Amino acid sequence: GLFALNPDRSLDWQAASLGARLDVYYAVGLQILQAPFLGHGIEAARFISDWPIEIIHMREGTFHHTHNGFLQLWLEFGVLGGALGAAGWFFFTRHVAHWSAALQPALIASLAAFFFVFSVTYGAWQSWWLSGIAVAAALTRFVAHGAERDMA
């Protein structure tokens, strides 16, 4: 009960450590090199059981997602997935220029927050993450259009 409120007792610090992330990133990077152009397929990290290195910083010695959306795109879809991800990012960042100068700082901050979370969080296809992106985009659009109407 109360132990859940104490992070020293309820969190698996070893699995959440920088060493664990680096283990995962290194293993994923090496696995990407096995199929760099076409990738390994969607949700590949869940199904790969023989990683090229020993995962020493995690209890299970394996993981179910890359903890990095960009590496996940490349692992799953190869260079094509990476290129599509980069094109999508380019589209969204260029689209900010079409909004009023008063709204651009908030939009840039939203994109920066998304970029950071996507860089270090769990799997890219988790429903809470995709739902959060959709809700944030809808709210941003709603508020921005309302603010532009108020400024006019």
Side-chain angles (χ1 to χ4, degrees), residues 40-98:
H40 293 275
I42 195 159
E43 295 286 350
R46 292 189 179 279
F47 305 110
I48 296 171
S49 58
D50 188 27
W51 292 98
I53 65 165
E54 182 183 0
I55 311 298
I56 59 174
H57 290 98
M58 298 179 84
R59 266 192 212 144
E60 302 88 25
T62 190
F63 49 91
H64 299 293
H65 30 74
T66 62
H67 296 274
N68 182 302
F70 306 104
L71 286 177
Q72 184 173 349
L73 287 176
W74 197 0
L75 176 70
E76 294 178 0
F77 305 114
V79 171
L80 179 61
L84 288 173
W89 182 253
F90 179 78
F91 168 78
F92 284 116
T93 56
R94 296 282 297 166
H95 193 66
V96 169
H98 299 293

Side-chain angles (χ1 to χ4, degrees), residues 3-150:
F3 284 123
L5 300 176
N6 182 346
D8 290 330
R9 295 181 184 273
S10 62
L11 292 177
D12 184 359
W13 288 108
Q14 186 171 349
S17 74
L18 177 60
R21 296 276 170 155
L22 292 176
D23 267 358
V24 169
Y25 297 165
Y26 187 56
V28 169
L30 290 172
Q31 194 69 35
I32 285 170
L33 295 175
Q34 302 299 318
F37 300 108
L38 297 177
H40 293 275
I42 195 159
E43 295 286 350
R46 292 189 179 279
F47 305 110
I48 296 171
S49 58
D50 188 27
W51 292 98
I53 65 165
E54 182 183 0
I55 311 298
I56 59 174
H57 290 98
M58 298 179 84
R59 266 192 212 144
E60 302 88 25
T62 190
F63 49 91
H64 299 293
H65 30 74
T66 62
H67 296 274
N68 182 302
F70 306 104
L71 286 177
Q72 184 173 349
L73 287 176
W74 197 0
L75 176 70
E76 294 178 0
F77 305 114
V79 171
L80 179 61
L84 288 173
W89 182 253
F90 179 78
F91 168 78
F92 284 116
T93 56
R94 296 282 297 166
H95 193 66
V96 169
H98 299 293
W99 294 88
S100 71
L103 296 174
Q104 287 178 7
L107 295 171
I108 291 168
S110 295
L111 286 172
F114 168 80
F115 186 85
F116 174 76
V117 173
F118 194 66
S119 297
V120 297
T121 194
Y122 297 99
W125 315 127
Q126 293 183 350
S127 59
W128 66 268
W129 174 243
L130 295 174
S131 299
I133 292 169
V135 168
L139 286 174
T140 299
R141 190 168 183 86
F142 176 75
V143 170
H145 280 299
E148 284 190 331
R149 272 194 306 274
D150 292 343

